[in-house]
Amino acid sequence: MTVRLSPCTNVHTVPLTSPAPYSMCSGSGRVCGVGGGGVMHVGNSWRWHLSRAMRLTLHWCRPCRLKTGGRGRGGQPQPSGGLRELWSYSTLLLRSLYFNSLTNSDTLLDCAFEPVYWTVDNVTRWFGVAFVTLVILLTTSVVVIVYLYVLPTIVSNYATPWIVWHLCCGHWLLVMVVFHYYKATTTSPGHPPKDNIHIPSVSICKKCINPKPARTHHCSICNTCVLKMDHHCRILVTSIACKSILVSTYLTLTHTHTTASCVELNTRAAWLNNCVGHFNHRYFFSFCIYMTLGCIYCSVSSRDMFLEAYNAVESYYQTPPLPYTSTETTAHKSIIFLWVLTSSVAIALGGLTLWHAVLIVRGETSVERHINRKERKRLKEQGKAFKNPYHHGKMDNWKRVFGVEIHRHWLTRVLLPSSHLPKGDGIIWDCTFTRKDPMAI
């Protein structure tokens, strides 16, 4: 019988007995099998491989083939040649689909976790839209309650200077919160240009396959690189906790250590459904500051009203109950809702604001903190000291974040709404290191 091989380069023929000879094309990684008439056909789809494997299985599993192949050592029966050939072909077929010289158990486990990560990313990203809507609704409800119940009480009971102060302070905080939240959610964080390969870069992104400038990191949610990426504000704490559990399980199974790509899945607040990067970092941090101050203002201003409303609600269960109208009952419950909500948000968001203030003082982002901590520990073991190349001093770091260049900018750019751009383009950075200093990128 004459077999004509298909035009494949670097063909390594594995001798098998008839009727199913095959070969592996090392140049293309395809399995070539002999079809009818002795001509080699190349299967380019998984359907061909599946049908071929099923035909071989049916052929070699016929009753006439299931005979022992003699006796081995100790008189144990050996499987027939047909079963050995089926096993060899199946092994070769499987290896041809996934095998390369870098494959190991960690790679296979990573591939197994990939569909789970994809599901979490693509399903929970829609929670960001719902959560932004929830934030807007809760903020609107607080504003409505303040206008309906808190401000009328202040106007009717407080002195004129205090009334003016409450009106000015409350409306100033409201304008600043709305402005910075809108800018933080709608402003792009900044991305490295993909059509320019000559930009200053420190590495190549493994996901985008594009040059990655310093302080740039890949966001798995946005599926792109972000300039001076801090984190991605996207979803509810439930999905963050879900993904954290997956990461912990993966790291435990693979016996690896946490890296910068893993710490991207951290437990930061989800407020924006947007990446926080070079061009909207100031908006995000200003929103955190003014939202915290606004919640503190509402909580302190409504404290006495909250105590009165709480005592009134307690009296609902007296016998006989006090005669409150439906309007008064609604007011009591609204004041309690206002005080509990604003007090809780002030505590939670205040902690987040303090955390980011510490990062700004150090000249770091959330991602860089983990990288620098790891680098600082490594150099300490070598008897060296780590120096952050982007730390320009505490006051200069604040000026760079807020875009303050002269003294009056503290008023016009920090205490009043401003849409000015940050310093620099997010690609080239002023560094405070010499060539001998270690640098984490």
Side-chain angles (χ1 to χ4, degrees), residues 37 64 86 89 97 120 147 170 185 280 314 328 335 422:
C64 60
L86 176 62
Y89 178 77
L97 297 178
V120 173
Y147 273 106
T185 54
N280 64 350
E314 287 290 329
E328 293 174 334
I335 292 298

Side-chain angles (χ1 to χ4, degrees), residues 109-380:
L109 192 60
D110 191 21
C111 295
F113 269 80
E114 200 60 36
V116 181
Y117 285 134
W118 183 91
T119 302
V120 173
D121 288 339
N122 288 272
V123 172
T124 57
R125 72 171 55 186
W126 294 104
F127 292 171
V129 179
F131 194 70
V132 168
T133 305
L134 180 62
V135 171
I136 296 175
L137 292 177
L138 290 177
T139 305
T140 304
S141 66
V142 169
V143 173
V144 170
I145 293 174
V146 169
Y147 273 106
L148 289 179
Y149 303 109
V150 178
L151 284 181
T153 303
I154 292 175
V155 172
S156 60
N157 298 325
Y158 284 32
T160 303
W162 281 109
I163 295 175
V164 174
W165 185 87
H166 277 284
L167 291 176
C168 294
C169 180
H171 287 89
W172 170 67
L173 290 174
L174 177 61
V175 170
M176 298 299 286
V177 167
V178 173
F179 172 79
H180 287 103
Y181 187 72
Y182 173 78
K183 296 294 290 186
T185 54
T186 58
T187 302
S188 173
H191 309 285
K194 296 183 178 181
D195 54 348
N196 185 6
I197 63 175
H198 301 292
I199 61 175
S201 59
V202 295
S203 63
I204 300 295
C205 180
K206 298 179 181 179
K207 301 294 182 65
C208 300
I209 317 298
N210 285 315
K212 188 163 66 172
R215 312 191 78 179
T216 299
H217 300 278
H218 186 87
C219 177
S220 60
I221 308 303
C222 299
N223 197 27
T224 185
C225 286
V226 177
L227 299 175
K228 191 192 171 186
M229 178 180 176
D230 188 274
H231 68 283
H232 187 103
C233 286
R234 52 172 185 155
I235 50 177
L236 293 171
V237 179
T238 304
S239 58
I240 294 179
C242 176
K243 201 158 188 179
S244 300
I245 293 173
L246 294 176
V247 171
S248 301
T249 306
Y250 169 76
L251 295 176
T252 302
L253 294 175
T254 57
H255 306 286
T256 56
H257 300 286
T258 305
T259 59
S261 60
C262 294
V263 301
E264 179 188 335
L265 313 173
N266 48 32
T267 55
R268 278 181 279 280
W271 297 89
L272 307 180
N273 194 32
N274 189 18
C275 252
V276 176
H278 177 64
F279 291 101
N280 64 350
H281 187 200
R282 177 178 67 89
Y283 297 129
F284 164 77
F285 184 72
S286 298
F287 164 74
C288 290
I289 291 178
Y290 289 111
M291 177 63 85
T292 302
L293 293 177
C295 290
I296 294 175
Y297 167 78
C298 292
S299 178
V300 173
S301 300
S302 62
R303 177 179 176 275
D304 295 336
M305 298 180 63
F306 164 75
L307 295 177
E308 294 178 2
Y310 184 80
N311 293 330
V313 171
E314 287 290 329
S315 65
Y316 292 171
Y317 305 98
Q318 294 180 0
T319 304
L322 298 178
Y324 288 111
T325 63
S326 58
T327 303
E328 293 174 334
T329 303
T330 303
H332 295 157
K333 295 180 180 179
S334 299
I335 292 298
I336 293 176
F337 169 79
L338 168 69
W339 191 87
V340 172
L341 177 63
T342 54
S343 300
S344 303
V345 173
I347 296 174
L349 189 57
L352 176 70
T353 305
L354 290 177
W355 166 248
H356 280 277
V358 173
L359 293 178
I360 292 175
V361 169
R362 295 176 179 176
E364 299 175 331
T365 62
S366 299
V367 178
E368 290 172 353
R369 173 187 174 271
H370 295 276
I371 299 176
N372 294 346
R373 183 177 59 179
K374 184 178 179 180
E375 189 69 10
R376 188 177 293 108
K377 181 179 179 181
R378 182 184 69 85
L379 293 175
K380 184 178 180 180

Side-chain angles (χ1 to χ4, degrees), residues 7-27:
C8 300
T9 59
N10 301 326
V11 177
H12 303 285
T13 303
V14 180
L16 291 175
T17 58
S18 160
Y22 60 90
S23 63
M24 168 60 73
C25 304
S26 62

